[in-house]
Amino acid sequence: MAKKLWGGRFSKKTNPLVEEFTKSIQYDYKLAKYDLLGSLAHVEILSKSGYLNADETKTLKGGLDLLYARLESGKIKFDTRNKEEDIHTYIQNELYREVGDVSLKLHTARSRNDQVVFAAKWYVKMAALELTGDISKLITAFYSLARKYKDVIIPGFTHLQHAQPVCLTDYLFAYINMLERDIKRLDYISKNIKITLGAGALAGTPISAQEYQIKAEEFLGEVKGLKAAFNIETTTNSLDAVSDRDFVIEIISALSIVAMHLSRLSEDLIIWSTKEFDFIEIDDSFCTGSSLMPQKKNPDVLELIRGYSGRLYGNLMSVLTMMKGLPLTYNRDMQLDKEPLFNSFEIVSKELKVLTGLIATLKFNEGKIDEHLKDESLYATDLVYYLVDRGIAFKEAHTIIGKLIKYSIDNGIEIKAMPEDKLKYFSDKFVKKEIVKLFDPKVSVESKKSIKRPNVLGSLNVTLGKM
Ligand code: ARG
């Protein structure tokens, strides 16, 4: 095992099983960049508060800059063979190899307990920002689809049963709405995360709060042009600072909601792609086949997205459960928040990317959709409104149309095909030549005036032009 950040009080070597069991570098290497940036900030603070002289400061900054550049250029490779306990130890040891004994001063007034929170918070902010970009790309793909199929009307569903005709764009915009809420949620959580300095292991450090505040802000303001994303301040409670993992739970919760949205979208698309529905054609390049049945074209991508939502919820549950019984302050259990955190971002990011491609190449079978729109039951509610407009109470009209539909089903006669006297048997308000006009998806959709749609589709057809 590599050199540890501790060991003086021990008279025996650590059992290799313990080393293997406790190490986290195989996954927390993802925090390397943020740990380095935190270390650069810390050098500045140590220097300003007199713990480092000018030469030491220069050497340490030079060493950390070198490691940063090496990391950015991909020259540092992490894998399970890394011997260090965690990424914080790795960086300390690498720095020692580069600059020697002066590196031993870097850990002055510092603990991995506050280092790990600093780095994880920064990671979350950056990952959330990146994910927001992925969500925006999917939204853009939805917009293109909405523009392409702006005139299409489809059967709308409740309980997965034919309900009423709706604009396809309304369906697409429902998903855009969900994704926009996701962006807002991620942004809100990210903005709310305060990166704190000065907690030490749990009890604070001998460096003044003012020093942390002034110097950290100043330093981070310059660092790698990332100021805008940051919200950094001296800790107001060092115990909470090292033991708070709310930000991990909040972000995984928001990611779980994104995954749930993508899973619902996938479910709609899976159903729509069946022979029974045949609303859509998923591009060949986004489907897979069967090893036995040559005819199969399966929506595996969508099924995996649906399945992965379970992973996300599992990740959320694992961190919530891990945290629930922990006494203040830091406990090693908290190390186990990393894999669920990284894994959740990784899954959702992959899902968004593959879905963007799938949505961009999706085709709607307008002919097949029109076949489905012939189902008269879709217009039953419009028939109720017809009677209501002619003075019949809604409840009564509802019963009349219910009976009419039942008669139609039981006798295998379309309402449109019924003679006027048969219609009048159900209500004397029925006028056949008026009724037949109601079995029209466009008429049905246009009769709904309550939706204040966003006017974002450019030049629109008659139906949507009324928005
Ligand atoms: N790898 C640890 C984690 O992620 C860092 C903190 C270790 N602190 C300690 N006192 N053992 O939580």
Side-chain angles (χ1 to χ4, degrees):
M1 175 57 87
K3 202 168 160 35
K4 297 184 173 67
L5 292 181
W6 46 271
R9 62 96 64 215
F10 290 82
S11 50
K12 282 188 179 174
K13 277 176 74 176
T14 317
N15 186 307
L17 288 172
V18 173
E19 292 190 329
E20 187 53 34
F21 189 64
T22 54
K23 72 192 279 214
S24 57
I25 192 161
Q26 65 278 21
Y27 48 83
D28 69 13
Y29 70 87
K30 291 202 168 151
L31 299 178
K33 178 173 170 174
Y34 310 113
D35 194 70
L36 278 167
L37 292 172
S39 297
L40 280 161
H42 192 63
V43 167
E44 188 83 359
I45 292 161
L46 289 179
S47 172
K48 294 286 160 35
S49 36
Y51 283 100
L52 297 173
N53 65 32
D55 276 353
E56 291 167 334
T57 305
K58 196 160 166 252
T59 309
L60 282 176
K61 281 179 86 171
L64 289 167
D65 276 336
L66 185 90
L67 295 184
Y68 189 89
R70 227 184 257 165
L71 183 76
E72 289 291 87
S73 65
K75 286 195 190 116
I76 301 182
K77 297 263 178 278
F78 295 100
D79 59 39
T80 45
R81 283 166 303 183
N82 272 89
K83 293 274 180 285
E84 277 78 7
E85 185 181 334
D86 57 21
I87 188 60
H88 320 290
T89 313
Y90 175 90
I91 288 172
Q92 178 66 52
N93 289 354
E94 280 293 292
L95 193 63
Y96 183 78
R97 278 191 275 276
E98 289 306 327
V99 302
D101 283 350
V102 64
S103 69
L104 304 177
K105 291 199 169 188
L106 178 65
H107 216 62
T108 312
R110 207 174 184 209
S111 159
R112 282 179 296 165
N113 299 356
D114 63 348
Q115 258 177 282
V116 74
V117 183
F118 179 96
K121 284 184 171 174
W122 200 325
Y123 165 87
V124 167
K125 280 173 184 275
M126 297 314 292
L129 197 66
E130 208 178 306
L131 201 84
T132 297
D134 293 335
I135 299 177
S136 302
K137 286 190 189 123
L138 178 56
I139 291 177
T140 306
F142 266 115
Y143 269 95
S144 305
L145 206 58
R147 244 174 255 121
K148 189 165 169 199
Y149 293 105
K150 63 183 163 50
D151 299 335
V152 176
I153 295 172
I154 61 168
F157 299 88
T158 61
H159 312 269
L160 201 54
Q161 305 289 326
H162 272 187
Q164 293 179 278
V166 293
C167 299
L168 171 60
T169 50
D170 284 349
Y171 248 91
L172 302 178
F173 271 87
Y175 282 108
I176 291 177
N177 277 2
M178 289 147 94
L179 294 167
E180 283 177 349
R181 286 199 298 277
D182 288 328
I183 288 181
K184 279 199 192 126
R185 203 173 286 117
L186 289 168
D187 189 51
Y188 169 80
I189 292 169
S190 178
K191 282 205 179 94
N192 214 22
I193 297 174
K194 289 195 173 80
I195 297 179
T196 58
L197 288 176
L202 79 163
T205 78
I207 297 169
S208 81
Q210 204 187 10
E211 208 69 77
Y212 277 114
Q213 190 62 25
I214 298 168
K215 303 307 171 196
E217 271 180 21
E218 199 179 276
F219 182 85
L220 285 168
E222 294 160 11
V223 172
K224 321 291 170 198
L226 291 173
K227 188 181 180 182
F230 287 88
N231 189 340
I232 177 158
E233 60 182 38
T234 309
T235 184
T236 53
N237 186 299
S238 55
L239 306 184
D240 185 42
V242 295
S243 63
D244 164 32
R245 294 295 182 277
D246 292 2
F247 68 99
V248 176
I249 293 166
E250 280 183 337
I251 207 79
I252 301 182
S253 157
L255 293 172
S256 300
I257 297 175
V258 182
M260 178 269 287
H261 288 158
L262 301 185
S263 178
R264 293 188 69 185
L265 166 65
S266 297
E267 177 65 2
D268 266 335
L269 297 180
I270 289 167
I271 292 169
W272 288 0
S273 70
T274 58
K275 268 274 177 301
E276 288 68 23
F277 275 70
D278 217 3
F279 282 13
I280 55 168
E281 189 66 34
I282 304 170
D283 197 74
D284 275 6
S285 58
F286 284 90
C287 289
T288 51
S290 157
S291 58
L292 194 143
M293 299 168 281
Q295 85 283 10
K296 291 303 288 291
K297 179 176 158 184
N298 295 327
D300 292 32
V301 165
L302 300 170
E303 290 167 337
L304 283 169
I305 291 173
R306 198 175 53 186
Y308 267 129
S309 49
R311 287 277 177 90
L312 268 287
Y313 303 171
N315 287 343
L316 177 61
M317 285 310 127
S318 86
V319 182
L320 276 170
T321 311
M322 179 273 286
M323 286 299 289
K324 87 177 174 67
L326 297 188
L328 288 179
T329 59
Y330 177 82
N331 300 271
R332 190 64 174 264
D333 317 43
M334 291 171 174
Q335 178 168 292
L336 302 179
D337 67 348
K338 308 291 176 313
E339 284 165 300
L341 174 67
F342 300 147
N343 181 252
S344 298
F345 269 113
E346 210 171 286
I347 291 173
V348 176
S349 164
K350 276 190 196 162
E351 288 182 354
L352 288 164
K353 288 188 174 90
V354 69
L355 262 180
T356 300
L358 190 148
I359 293 293
T361 52
L362 194 66
K363 292 200 171 55
F364 280 85
N365 301 332
E366 297 181 49
K368 297 280 183 192
I369 292 171
D370 285 345
E371 286 296 311
H372 286 276
L373 287 168
K374 287 186 183 146
D375 172 15
E376 286 193 331
S377 74
L378 285 164
Y379 308 92
T381 314
D382 297 322
L383 293 173
V384 174
Y385 283 123
Y386 174 89
L387 293 180
V388 168
D389 288 345
R390 282 151 189 81
I392 310 239
F394 186 90
K395 190 103 180 42
E396 198 185 327
H398 189 282
T399 307
I400 293 169
I401 301 302
K403 285 183 177 159
L404 178 63
I405 297 273
K406 182 167 167 24
Y407 179 85
S408 157
I409 295 168
D410 290 349
N411 295 282
I413 311 168
E414 282 197 318
I415 298 170
K416 262 189 300 194
M418 288 181 197
E420 181 141 306
D421 59 341
K422 179 53 73 188
L423 290 169
K424 288 223 188 281
Y425 167 79
F426 289 93
S427 170
D428 60 4
K429 304 285 182 199
F430 282 136
V431 175
K432 174 154 174 153
K433 68 173 191 314
E434 289 172 356
I435 296 294
V436 291
K437 288 190 199 138
L438 295 179
F439 297 97
D440 179 334
K442 211 163 160 177
V443 171
S444 176
V445 163
E446 281 180 2
S447 71
K448 314 299 182 307
K449 316 249 194 265
S450 59
I451 309 164
K452 200 168 160 286
R453 296 181 173 91
N455 193 12
V456 286
L457 296 175
S459 63
L460 300 167
N461 69 347
V462 188
T463 309
L464 300 174
K466 287 191 174 173
M467 295 191 299

